[in-house]
Every structure is written in C-alpha cells, then in structure tokens.
Amino acid sequence: MKRLLLYLMFLMLSLLIYLSGQGQNTCGGSYRWNVKTMTDKDNKQVTLTAQPAEVKDLIKIPRPINIDHATSSRIIGEMKTVYIRGTIIYWMIEADKDIHIAFHSLDGKFSIVCEIPDPTCLEIKNSLVLNQIKIARQEFLKFKSTNHKMMAGTYEITGILFYDKPHHAIGANDKHLELHPVIQFKKL
C-alpha cells in the first residue's frame, strides 16, 4: 500500500510539473542571445525610431574587431534600428526557432540576414520589443509560401542592427551584419 501511495504521488508530481511548463518554450539560442533578442542590459539605449537604410550602405559599415562569443554587451554599432526594402530569396526556421530570412536589395546585388525570434521562447519573455516581435512574426507568416519561398513582391523589414558570428548562412554578407531582431514586417 505504501508503495502504491508513493507511486501515485510521483505520478501526480510529474503531472503537475508537466502542466506547469505548458505554453513555455525553450529555444536554446546561444551566441550573444541576449543582444539578439533585446534582453540585454543595454537594450534601453537602442534607438527604436527606425531610420531608412539601403542594404548596400549597411554592409559597407566596418565590422568591429572586438566582437566574440564572450561579448554579451551591445556594441555601438548595434544601437540603431533601420528599415530596408527589397525581396526575400529564402527563409527557414532555424534550430533556435528564429525565422531566418535571406533578404536582397531591390537591385538584387546585396544581401543581409534578417531574423525574427520565436516570441514563445522563455528566453525572450522580457524582451523590450516582445510585442513588436510577435506582430512581425504574424505578418511574416501571412506571406510565406511553400519550399522556403515568399509571395512575390517587395517587402519592408525593420530591425535592430546586430553583428553575428562569421558563419555560412544563406544571405549573409561578409560583415555578418544582420537585422536581429526584426520588429516590423510589411509587404509593400
């Protein structure tokens, strides 16, 4: 009888733990994740009023030398919000559940990565721009097509500048400058 009682208590405790975690999602981003998601200590210093920009001009900005995995603070170049116009050549959902967007300038000559975090991730629940991320992701999903393509057309994406680690991402430029997080998404 004692064993049965212990077993039932274990089952009830397991069920309570399971139910308490419902609706919560751990996404597991790592590289400067707090900066990427606007949960860093410097997030209130970011200018959230978006300025117009051209992809070709953004990728001319020199990459800071002092960025590495241990750089958890936002750097000067990441204090600005911009909006860009162009086309989407590819998108995918990454392992950390961000929507990765390969974005081309209107003339098709320049590219930049734009990423929309998953707003259900526990790690970003305190993001300064969580509501904007939610809306941007909903808007993106309205226009996605199958096979990692989008409805044809011109898009305007607003996001905060971020220097990612050098890697071979589709749409990446040689400075690895991105818009991360995207806080507004529009089809023009």
Side-chain angles (χ1 to χ4, degrees):
M1 182 71 175
K2 190 174 179 180
R3 273 187 157 167
L4 180 61
L5 190 55
L6 284 173
Y7 179 72
L8 288 174
M9 287 175 58
F10 172 77
L11 281 177
M12 287 178 51
L13 182 59
S14 297
L15 181 62
L16 284 173
I17 291 170
Y18 172 78
L19 291 174
S20 70
Q22 291 298 301
Q24 298 178 348
N25 189 4
T26 301
C27 297
S30 58
Y31 180 78
R32 301 183 67 225
W33 189 249
N34 60 338
V35 177
K36 286 182 178 183
T37 59
M38 287 286 286
T39 56
D40 60 300
K41 64 180 176 56
D42 300 319
N43 64 9
K44 289 184 176 68
Q45 295 177 30
V46 174
T47 303
L48 292 175
T49 304
Q51 299 297 312
E54 297 287 334
V55 177
K56 68 179 180 180
D57 296 326
L58 290 175
I59 64 173
K60 290 178 186 173
I61 301 170
R63 181 179 174 84
I65 318 170
N66 58 342
I67 303 176
D68 61 24
H69 190 74
T71 308
S72 60
S73 297
R74 189 172 294 277
I75 59 169
I76 294 283
E78 297 171 328
M79 300 286 190
K80 187 175 181 182
T81 304
V82 299
Y83 66 88
I84 53 177
R85 292 182 175 163
T87 58
I88 296 172
I89 58 162
Y90 179 84
W91 68 270
M92 66 178 278
I93 296 180
E94 296 182 319
D96 62 8
K97 301 187 182 153
D98 285 1
I99 295 174
H100 172 104
I101 301 167
F103 195 80
H104 270 186
S105 56
L106 287 170
D107 63 9
K109 294 180 181 178
F110 307 96
S111 64
I112 191 167
V113 170
C114 305
E115 297 206 26
I116 311 172
D118 182 346
T120 67
C121 294
L122 281 176
E123 299 93 340
I124 72 166
K125 69 179 183 198
N126 294 320
S127 175
L128 187 65
V129 292
L130 181 60
N131 288 333
Q132 293 95 317
I133 290 170
K134 285 179 183 177
I135 294 167
R137 195 158 170 126
Q138 289 168 356
E139 287 301 306
F140 171 88
L141 293 172
K142 288 180 187 177
F143 300 105
K144 78 176 183 66
S145 185
T146 57
N147 299 325
H148 305 284
K149 300 289 181 191
M150 294 296 288
M151 293 173 72
T154 301
Y155 292 87
E156 181 178 282
I157 295 181
T158 302
I160 298 156
L161 295 177
F162 173 77
Y163 287 96
D164 207 348
K165 65 183 173 194
H167 60 301
H168 301 290
I170 296 172
N173 53 65
D174 64 346
K175 307 290 187 332
H176 301 282
L177 180 65
E178 301 181 354
L179 298 189
H180 199 312
V182 168
I183 59 171
Q184 190 172 49
F185 184 91
K186 291 184 198 175
K187 186 174 189 312
L188 301 179

